[in-house]
Amino acid sequence: MAATGPAEGVREHYPKPKHPLEHTIPLRKPSRVTIKHPGYRGSGNTLLTLPATDGADHSSAHYDTVHIACVVIAGNEFDGWLSASQSGDTRVEPDACGLVKAGIYYFHVSAGKTLLVTAGAISPQQPHLEYPIVPNFRCWRFPHTSLPRLWQQAGEGDESSERPQTCRLTLTSHGRALQKSHIIPSSEKSWFNENDMHQYGNLSGRGAQDVADMSGNLIRFRTDIHQLWDAT
């Protein structure tokens, strides 16, 4: 019988080695707010999905941002509301911090404002389930006379008074890591013309790049956010 070596004898006093990742906490699935169209069923009724990373537990989203996104998709239905039910009976309101919890919601519009409903046959407060949506940006009409409150507040800010090296999204300073980004790209010049956007600046007869480069269409982003913005 072979003699037990010193190294083998010492090893018996220690537990079996374990992989360093064996007892790590599993990654939590990112929280999201998913908005569905109430008039349709199945996987094709999702209007949009937004990350829910706000709040103390990082599982909520800014209510007004979610609501305005739905309004735009529904063709500027500003009276529309979120509901946790497909019937739209109960409305979802923001909490004290202006947030909405992660989850699945439906965006409803009033039946009384659609052309598909016979006048007087239905209550204006009753949801119209099968409402049309805007398929892409070029089909969306700019709401000149009914801007959302958040957009009005953003327009009241003086760009020249801000710190020149501050990202408008994260509100943090990054020095040379900031880039000027186009809110609406120069490729959308036809959208500017069709929506009479010349009233917000001297745009008549200007080239597409001149329109895109006007100060009102530029915003400072971190380089990584700028790349994500252009990729959407």
Side-chain angles (χ1 to χ4, degrees):
M1 181 175 180
T4 302
E8 185 175 347
V10 172
R11 189 180 300 117
E12 295 176 354
H13 298 283
Y14 292 91
K16 180 182 178 181
K18 298 180 180 180
H19 192 279
L21 299 181
E22 185 174 345
H23 295 290
T24 55
I25 300 175
L27 294 176
R28 186 178 65 176
K29 186 178 180 180
S31 299
R32 299 180 182 277
V33 170
T34 300
I35 308 298
K36 293 181 175 291
H37 195 299
Y40 305 92
R41 298 182 182 276
S43 59
N45 67 343
T46 298
L47 292 178
L48 59 90
T49 300
L50 297 174
T53 57
D54 296 326
D57 56 356
H58 305 289
S59 63
S60 301
H62 186 231
Y63 176 88
D64 284 348
T65 299
V66 175
H67 182 261
I68 291 176
C70 295
V71 166
V72 170
I73 292 177
N76 300 331
E77 289 283 355
F78 291 96
D79 294 333
W81 66 92
L82 297 179
S83 175
S85 66
Q86 193 167 6
S87 62
D89 296 335
T90 58
R91 303 193 180 200
V92 173
E93 301 292 344
D95 62 17
C97 297
L99 304 176
V100 59
K101 279 291 185 181
I104 297 177
Y105 303 96
Y106 295 87
F107 185 71
H108 294 270
V109 303
S110 174
K113 296 182 62 176
T114 66
L115 299 178
L116 303 178
V117 179
T118 303
I122 198 167
S123 169
Q125 296 302 318
Q126 184 172 342
H128 171 48
L129 300 183
E130 297 180 358
Y131 59 84
I133 63 171
V134 178
N136 53 55
F137 175 77
R138 293 187 179 182
C139 293
W140 176 62
R141 302 297 89 181
F142 188 79
H144 295 284
T145 59
S146 56
L147 291 179
R149 177 177 52 85
L150 285 182
W151 293 4
Q152 296 179 29
Q153 293 174 347
E156 294 170 356
D158 183 8
E159 180 77 14
S160 61
S161 65
E162 297 180 359
R163 291 178 295 173
Q165 300 299 330
T166 301
C167 174
R168 290 291 301 275
L169 183 62
T170 62
L171 301 180
T172 54
S173 299
H174 293 270
R176 296 182 180 180
L178 295 178
Q179 296 178 346
K180 285 187 177 181
S181 310
H182 294 98
I183 299 175
I184 301 174
S186 56
S187 59
E188 298 294 346
K189 181 186 177 183
S190 59
W191 184 89
F192 272 92
N193 294 332
E194 293 170 0
N195 286 270
D196 296 325
M197 300 300 287
H198 59 80
Q199 59 186 285
Y200 301 105
N202 185 20
L203 307 181
S204 179
R206 305 286 292 276
Q209 195 60 49
D210 292 332
V211 171
D213 289 340
M214 70 179 192
S215 60
N217 192 43
L218 296 176
I219 190 170
R220 283 188 297 271
F221 280 155
R222 276 183 357 212
T223 302
D224 57 332
I225 296 178
H226 183 193
Q227 294 173 347
L228 292 173
W229 180 271
D230 287 346
T232 57

